[in-house]
Amino acid sequence: MITRDLLGWDDLHIGLAWGPGDLLDRRVTGVTSTDLQDPARYLQPGELVLSGLVWWEPDDAEAALRFATSLRSARVAALLAGESTHGPVGRSLVDACRTHRIPLLSVPAGTSFRAVTDRVYLRLWGGLRLGADGAGAAGLPASVRAELLELLHADARPADLLRRAVEQLGLPDCSIVSAAGRTVASSTGTGRRPATAARAVAVGPPGESPFDAWLLQPWAPCAHPEMLRGLADLLAPLAVRAHTARTERRTAAVRLLDLLDTSAPVDLSDALTRCALPTRQALTAVAARIDGSPQAPDGWAAAALTEALCTLDAPFAAAPDGDGCAKALVAAPAEQVTGALRRVRAQLQARLGERQSLAVGVGPAVAPEPARLRSSLVQADYARRAADASAQPVRSATEVDSLAALLDGVPTAVRAAFQHRLLAPLTAHDRDNGVSLTDTLQVFLAHDGSWARTAKALHIHVNTVHYRVQRIEELTGRNLSRLADRLDLRAALLCADAPR
């Protein structure tokens, strides 16, 4: 298959925005959908790149040029630009592709990325040559390959494909599992999997993040590993199709979140419907972020959140927010969402580096009204920051119910500055003296300002407590008989104790 072939598929209405004849003769090896501004590391030479360009503004020539540079470095066959987000392909993108000699094709709003992906893979798989021994190029007998391809083309369920493959090839029962351990399909038709299993085989391309890959997992050692690899190769269009569907849903989710990112009155009905979300049922907001070193690329948090929410039997819309985080709206109660996220978070974390950490916050379930959804998203993001700074990596906004929990969500630099402003005089005193006034303040407040109980806890005379408290008041300028001053100093101590 060559790039020019796409222009001959009249039912898909793919147009040519730029591309001389010699470039349209590039051979196509596959197709990848991406939201990333720099997807080079996830692309293979000869691939078609499908993108809704959700991160781009049509007049941003520099961003278009950076994107085209990334595609050139990956030696892709062509860029297919979706017109659902920005309308007709912009001049700046045309100029960028011309500069780097990347054929640019347009995909109209009425043509789904899945339709393009399916057509490409059907063409690629249909053109596979059979070997002289009658086995397919990937190790499957010709008759079995033909039957499985027919099922694949007919949109058979993945479980039915697996079951038929097991029956025809004599393979052990198998499951398709996501990179985070979710069962996508099983030859037994259930989500059950053995406690131990044989080595898995990758299905399709690795994806843009550690959470995108699919694996073909045999339940027992396989006597014919070449057939297992052949089956994984044949199932690759399913993985690509799922990734394409996620990309399209993410494009719709970006539009919805953009509407909620403005204080202007908006009608969310159409945006909610495009995301397959109910317009009258309560929605729960979720926020996620991956922090640490190395910094996670844009889109990883959204991919992790998508994988986690797939375990819920509920509609959701998830997308990156443009600031390294991801946001989502879920048509499920907040308690159910929190529980599901806590169950799968360890598996998601295992896909990251040792110094990277996934933190998630869950807002309250609210009616799908702009003001209320904005409030829930803000609360979810605050809960996420609180989770990020605590030993609890998934936190619900309802759990931000104490001064300590509230301060957990305050940025580290703000906490440190507040602590320094209030407690620096005590810190300086303690550095030059054998008595810690900071410890005395901590114990005094912990015992509700009781002189006697403080003296007992510190094993000192009550008069010594009076002297130390008086000294604390002199150094800090606060009166510990006043509730407001006690709260200020208590907050400063909590800021000093908060994880960094």
Side-chain angles (χ1 to χ4, degrees), residues 348-363:
L348 297 172
Q349 180 63 40
R351 305 295 302 177
L352 297 170
E354 292 183 0
R355 297 183 179 180
Q356 294 175 316
S357 180
L358 171 65
V360 187
V362 181

mmCIF file of all heavy atoms in Angstrom, residues 348-363:
data_model
loop_
_atom_site.group_PDB
_atom_site.id
_atom_site.type_symbol
_atom_site.label_atom_id
_atom_site.label_comp_id
_atom_site.label_asym_id
_atom_site.label_seq_id
_atom_site.Cartn_x
_atom_site.Cartn_y
_atom_site.Cartn_z
ATOM 1 N N LEU A 348 -0.964 0.728 37.835
ATOM 2 C CA LEU A 348 -0.551 1.835 36.983
ATOM 3 C C LEU A 348 0.818 2.364 37.404
ATOM 4 O O LEU A 348 1.675 2.645 36.570
ATOM 5 C CB LEU A 348 -1.590 2.953 37.041
ATOM 6 C CG LEU A 348 -2.984 2.609 36.513
ATOM 7 C CD1 LEU A 348 -3.951 3.740 36.817
ATOM 8 C CD2 LEU A 348 -2.938 2.341 35.020
ATOM 9 N N GLN A 349 1.017 2.487 38.704
ATOM 10 C CA GLN A 349 2.285 2.977 39.223
ATOM 11 C C GLN A 349 3.437 2.064 38.809
ATOM 12 O O GLN A 349 4.554 2.520 38.545
ATOM 13 C CB GLN A 349 2.223 3.095 40.746
ATOM 14 C CG GLN A 349 3.492 3.594 41.409
ATOM 15 C CD GLN A 349 3.871 5.006 40.994
ATOM 16 O OE1 GLN A 349 3.017 5.854 40.852
ATOM 17 N NE2 GLN A 349 5.165 5.256 40.799
ATOM 18 N N ALA A 350 3.168 0.768 38.746
ATOM 19 C CA ALA A 350 4.207 -0.194 38.379
ATOM 20 C C ALA A 350 4.717 0.009 36.960
ATOM 21 O O ALA A 350 5.810 -0.461 36.623
ATOM 22 C CB ALA A 350 3.681 -1.620 38.540
ATOM 23 N N ARG A 351 3.960 0.703 36.129
ATOM 24 C CA ARG A 351 4.384 0.969 34.754
ATOM 25 C C ARG A 351 5.318 2.173 34.659
ATOM 26 O O ARG A 351 5.867 2.443 33.597
ATOM 27 C CB ARG A 351 3.159 1.224 33.860
ATOM 28 C CG ARG A 351 2.115 0.138 33.871
ATOM 29 C CD ARG A 351 2.631 -1.153 33.296
ATOM 30 N NE ARG A 351 3.110 -0.999 31.929
ATOM 31 C CZ ARG A 351 3.668 -1.971 31.226
ATOM 32 N NH1 ARG A 351 3.848 -3.156 31.777
ATOM 33 N NH2 ARG A 351 4.070 -1.763 29.983
ATOM 34 N N LEU A 352 5.504 2.890 35.771
ATOM 35 C CA LEU A 352 6.317 4.105 35.777
ATOM 36 C C LEU A 352 7.699 3.845 36.356
ATOM 37 O O LEU A 352 7.958 2.787 36.950
ATOM 38 C CB LEU A 352 5.611 5.194 36.587
ATOM 39 C CG LEU A 352 4.266 5.671 36.041
ATOM 40 C CD1 LEU A 352 3.569 6.564 37.061
ATOM 41 C CD2 LEU A 352 4.451 6.415 34.713
ATOM 42 N N GLY A 353 8.576 4.817 36.200
ATOM 43 C CA GLY A 353 9.898 4.719 36.782
ATOM 44 C C GLY A 353 9.848 4.845 38.301
ATOM 45 O O GLY A 353 8.857 5.304 38.874
ATOM 46 N N GLU A 354 10.947 4.458 38.944
ATOM 47 C CA GLU A 354 10.984 4.461 40.405
ATOM 48 C C GLU A 354 10.780 5.851 40.992
ATOM 49 O O GLU A 354 10.253 5.992 42.099
ATOM 50 C CB GLU A 354 12.318 3.889 40.888
ATOM 51 C CG GLU A 354 12.497 2.399 40.599
ATOM 52 C CD GLU A 354 13.801 1.872 41.155
ATOM 53 O OE1 GLU A 354 14.555 2.674 41.753
ATOM 54 O OE2 GLU A 354 14.070 0.669 40.994
ATOM 55 N N ARG A 355 11.207 6.880 40.271
ATOM 56 C CA ARG A 355 11.114 8.239 40.797
ATOM 57 C C ARG A 355 9.891 8.991 40.287
ATOM 58 O O ARG A 355 9.743 10.170 40.544
ATOM 59 C CB ARG A 355 12.377 9.023 40.437
ATOM 60 C CG ARG A 355 13.638 8.450 41.069
ATOM 61 C CD ARG A 355 14.852 9.309 40.753
ATOM 62 N NE ARG A 355 16.055 8.783 41.368
ATOM 63 C CZ ARG A 355 17.259 9.337 41.268
ATOM 64 N NH1 ARG A 355 17.390 10.465 40.561
ATOM 65 N NH2 ARG A 355 18.306 8.803 41.844
ATOM 66 N N GLN A 356 9.042 8.297 39.558
ATOM 67 C CA GLN A 356 7.812 8.906 39.071
ATOM 68 C C GLN A 356 6.646 8.442 39.941
ATOM 69 O O GLN A 356 6.626 7.306 40.409
ATOM 70 C CB GLN A 356 7.559 8.523 37.610
ATOM 71 C CG GLN A 356 8.583 9.091 36.648
ATOM 72 C CD GLN A 356 8.381 8.585 35.231
ATOM 73 O OE1 GLN A 356 8.146 7.395 35.015
ATOM 74 N NE2 GLN A 356 8.470 9.474 34.255
ATOM 75 N N SER A 357 5.679 9.331 40.133
ATOM 76 C CA SER A 357 4.557 9.006 41.007
ATOM 77 C C SER A 357 3.256 9.551 40.425
ATOM 78 O O SER A 357 3.185 10.709 40.016
ATOM 79 C CB SER A 357 4.781 9.604 42.405
ATOM 80 O OG SER A 357 3.702 9.292 43.261
ATOM 81 N N LEU A 358 2.245 8.684 40.403
ATOM 82 C CA LEU A 358 0.923 9.057 39.917
ATOM 83 C C LEU A 358 0.041 9.426 41.109
ATOM 84 O O LEU A 358 -0.136 8.631 42.029
ATOM 85 C CB LEU A 358 0.299 7.882 39.155
ATOM 86 C CG LEU A 358 -1.175 8.023 38.762
ATOM 87 C CD1 LEU A 358 -1.363 9.158 37.750
ATOM 88 C CD2 LEU A 358 -1.708 6.714 38.194
ATOM 89 N N ALA A 359 -0.486 10.642 41.094
ATOM 90 C CA ALA A 359 -1.397 11.111 42.135
ATOM 91 C C ALA A 359 -2.737 11.466 41.502
ATOM 92 O O ALA A 359 -2.779 12.041 40.409
ATOM 93 C CB ALA A 359 -0.824 12.332 42.852
ATOM 94 N N VAL A 360 -3.824 11.110 42.192
ATOM 95 C CA VAL A 360 -5.159 11.304 41.643
ATOM 96 C C VAL A 360 -6.063 11.927 42.705
ATOM 97 O O VAL A 360 -6.004 11.554 43.878
ATOM 98 C CB VAL A 360 -5.778 9.964 41.178
ATOM 99 C CG1 VAL A 360 -7.101 10.210 40.463
ATOM 100 C CG2 VAL A 360 -4.824 9.206 40.275
ATOM 101 N N GLY A 361 -6.882 12.887 42.274
ATOM 102 C CA GLY A 361 -7.869 13.496 43.157
ATOM 103 C C GLY A 361 -9.261 13.335 42.574
ATOM 104 O O GLY A 361 -9.432 13.376 41.351
ATOM 105 N N VAL A 362 -10.244 13.151 43.442
ATOM 106 C CA VAL A 362 -11.629 12.940 43.010
ATOM 107 C C VAL A 362 -12.513 14.006 43.638
ATOM 108 O O VAL A 362 -12.501 14.196 44.861
ATOM 109 C CB VAL A 362 -12.136 11.539 43.421
ATOM 110 C CG1 VAL A 362 -13.564 11.329 42.936
ATOM 111 C CG2 VAL A 362 -11.212 10.454 42.864
ATOM 112 N N GLY A 363 -13.259 14.717 42.800
ATOM 113 C CA GLY A 363 -14.185 15.734 43.285
ATOM 114 C C GLY A 363 -15.545 15.141 43.607
ATOM 115 O O GLY A 363 -15.776 13.938 43.423
#
